[in-house]
Amino acid sequence: MSSSRKQILINPISKNNPVVVLMLGICSALAVTAQVKPALVMGVSVTAVLAFSNVIISLLRNTIPNRIRIIVQLVVVAALVIIVEQILKAYAYEVWGQLSVFIGLIITNCILMGRLEAFALGNTPFDSFLDGIGNGLGYTAILLIVAIARELLGSGSLMGYAVIPQSFYEGGYMNNGLMILPPMALIVVGCIIWVHRSIDKDLQEE
Amino acid sequence: MEAFNIFIKSIFVDNMIFAYFLGMCSYLAVSKTVKTSVGLGIAVTFVLVVTLPINYLLDTYVLRPGALDWVSPELKSIDLSFLSFILFIAIIASFTQIVEMVVEKFTPALYSQLGIFLPLIAVNCAILGGSLFMQQRNFANIGQATAFGLGSGIGWLLAIVGIAAIREHMSYSKVPKPLRGLGISFIVTGLMGIAFMGFMGIKF
């Protein structure tokens, strides 16, 4: 694999992360991060939809009339999301119930529109596929960090298994119920941005 | 009375931004000044109020299991609900297109103010989210669905105007460098969300 292709794949994970740098896809991301499991499923679903819709739009890029491209993109994405939803409903019913409307909201996830517009419309299918996977991984990474922080501090467990030993609770440790509430997801992401931008000074805003 | 209850609840308790994070992208991108955020908030409210009743009718008479009963009793067993994503987004996208054309034709002044935001509304999660929540909550009649749309829209407007006002003031304060811009907006939104949780449990 050439180095430019490697860049396409690696860049979105930290330097051009879709969530904390480009501000995309925050909409449906935060609501699913109270536990690790739904966050992981959501991340994988978004990565799959992103990679395949990038490929399809990239294959069609010379035939789509410019004026109606948004509607074409929405239809392609919506069809892929329906497939993902049916698969989850069949094989992971419990997680499907937890994610509820947020699977449908992958359609309006800004990462999809952003990558389709900015990348797939002007690049070859294989590059677009790599770009989709890279951005999906960047998105999943942020989701997992937030979910791990919230589930560990809020419920004392990871993926549903208790990880904080019972002796801690006997010694007076308590789960922080606040971490489960929706606003804490925003504050955790705020802290991730803080750390990320302290390390990578180029990203700081004036 | 039930409709009024839904209206109040969707503004304060089930606020689109603070409880479900819907429409966050445009919320963070457009909230730099109060003036533009009011324009976008009104446009979102308008699209929500119109698309929710349309999607409600679509859901009740076409998509739900057994909804096609009114065509002929033989179609009763058909369940088209898996098509709801694609139909809802088609309604929203085409309606946004119509609104854009109508506004451009009849009120060019408003169009130039809203111009860039109008096409963005089609991919605003708050709009599709409103339709999907409507489907999930099984509202009893079209009035309740409209009240939910209006309430969600006003809640979104309230949130974006609130953060825009705070961000305008924040330009005078000394925020740590790595936190400037996006980071502090997230934390402020989180704190506003905690404040809004104080409304939990209100009922009329």
Side-chain angles (χ1 to χ4, degrees):
Chain A
M1 198 186 284
S2 65
S3 68
S4 69
R5 289 209 162 137
K6 213 175 264 173
Q7 279 305 313
I8 293 174
L9 188 63
I10 305 282
N11 234 356
I13 294 175
S14 166
K15 188 95 193 163
N16 263 324
N17 188 290
V19 181
V20 297
V21 180
L22 303 179
M23 241 172 19
L24 297 173
I26 308 154
C27 325
S28 53
L30 299 175
V32 300
T33 52
Q35 287 171 338
V36 176
K37 208 171 167 190
L40 190 64
V41 173
M42 185 75 179
V44 173
S45 314
V46 170
T47 310
V49 174
L50 192 52
F52 288 110
S53 61
N54 255 357
V55 171
I56 294 174
I57 293 295
S58 176
L59 286 172
L60 296 174
R61 68 183 188 280
N62 296 323
T63 48
I64 303 173
N66 203 29
R67 277 192 75 86
I68 58 157
R69 65 179 196 286
I70 297 215
I71 292 181
V72 174
Q73 289 163 0
L74 280 176
V75 170
V76 169
V77 172
L80 285 167
V81 170
I82 289 176
I83 295 173
V84 167
E85 199 218 8
Q86 298 294 327
I87 292 174
L88 284 181
K89 211 171 167 180
Y91 295 105
Y93 191 78
E94 201 181 306
V95 181
W96 175 79
Q98 278 174 333
L99 289 172
S100 66
V101 299
F102 292 100
I103 302 175
L105 288 171
I106 297 176
I107 299 171
T108 49
N109 195 318
C110 331
I111 296 182
L112 287 159
M113 276 295 140
R115 292 328 292 171
L116 292 177
E117 281 280 299
F119 200 90
L121 280 176
N123 286 285
T124 56
F126 186 61
D127 284 352
S128 307
F129 180 74
L130 291 180
D131 180 76
I133 297 278
N135 278 287
L137 288 178
Y139 173 86
T140 313
I142 299 297
L143 239 65
L144 280 181
I145 297 173
V146 179
I148 288 172
R150 286 179 74 192
E151 193 177 348
L152 191 63
L153 297 173
S155 335
S157 57
L158 284 178
M159 298 284 281
Y161 300 106
V163 286
I164 293 189
Q166 196 58 38
S167 55
F168 272 48
Y169 292 105
E170 280 156 15
Y173 175 83
M174 274 179 26
N175 286 330
N176 185 354
L178 192 63
M179 292 301 283
I180 300 292
L181 300 174
M184 286 314 284
L186 290 163
I187 294 178
V188 173
V189 175
C191 295
I192 294 176
I193 293 173
W194 192 353
V195 174
H196 189 237
R197 292 191 180 182
S198 306
I199 298 167
D200 197 338
K201 295 212 161 48
D202 297 346
L203 298 171
Q204 292 176 6
E205 291 170 46
E206 274 313 306
Chain B
M1 211 55 219
E2 187 58 29
F4 184 68
N5 205 355
I6 290 173
F7 172 68
I8 295 292
K9 223 178 139 197
S10 56
I11 297 180
F12 294 110
V13 183
D14 292 336
N15 189 293
M16 280 284 180
I17 295 272
F18 299 129
Y20 301 108
F21 316 107
L22 297 182
M24 283 299 281
C25 306
S26 33
Y27 169 84
L28 289 169
V30 186
S31 60
K32 288 198 176 97
T33 60
V34 172
K35 211 176 157 207
T36 47
S37 60
V38 172
L40 183 67
I42 290 172
V44 166
T45 311
F46 179 66
V47 176
L48 262 174
V49 168
V50 181
T51 54
L52 262 181
I54 299 176
N55 282 342
Y56 179 81
L57 293 178
L58 199 64
D59 186 44
T60 320
Y61 292 108
V62 182
L63 295 171
R64 245 180 231 179
L68 286 170
D69 199 19
W70 59 276
V71 182
S72 87
E74 291 143 39
L75 297 175
K76 201 167 183 173
S77 60
I78 292 178
D79 176 7
L80 290 177
S81 52
F82 69 94
L83 282 178
S84 48
F85 293 163
I86 211 162
L87 283 178
F88 285 175
I89 198 72
I91 294 276
I92 291 166
S94 47
F95 182 74
T96 326
Q97 197 88 50
I98 293 172
V99 168
E100 200 184 337
M101 290 192 293
V102 169
V103 171
E104 190 179 9
K105 178 103 178 131
F106 294 105
T107 50
L110 184 67
Y111 180 75
S112 61
Q113 272 182 349
L114 285 178
I116 33 169
F117 307 130
L118 278 173
L120 273 181
I121 290 175
V123 287
N124 189 321
C125 328
I127 314 278
L128 182 65
S131 287
L132 294 176
F133 276 124
M134 175 269 300
Q135 190 187 29
Q136 197 188 36
R137 288 182 196 171
N138 281 324
F139 288 126
N141 54 49
I142 193 165
Q144 288 184 9
T146 317
F148 178 69
L150 184 64
S152 304
I154 292 176
W156 201 87
L157 173 75
L158 214 60
I160 194 170
V161 172
I163 187 106
I166 293 175
R167 282 179 83 168
E168 273 189 5
H169 274 264
M170 221 152 46
S171 56
Y172 302 111
S173 37
K174 210 168 164 3
V175 180
K177 256 199 165 156
L179 212 50
R180 262 179 218 169
L182 189 56
I184 195 73
S185 311
F186 266 103
I187 292 181
V188 167
T189 312
L191 294 176
M192 285 167 80
I194 293 177
F196 262 69
M197 284 172 64
F199 289 114
M200 220 171 241
I202 50 169
K203 239 185 152 94
F204 286 88

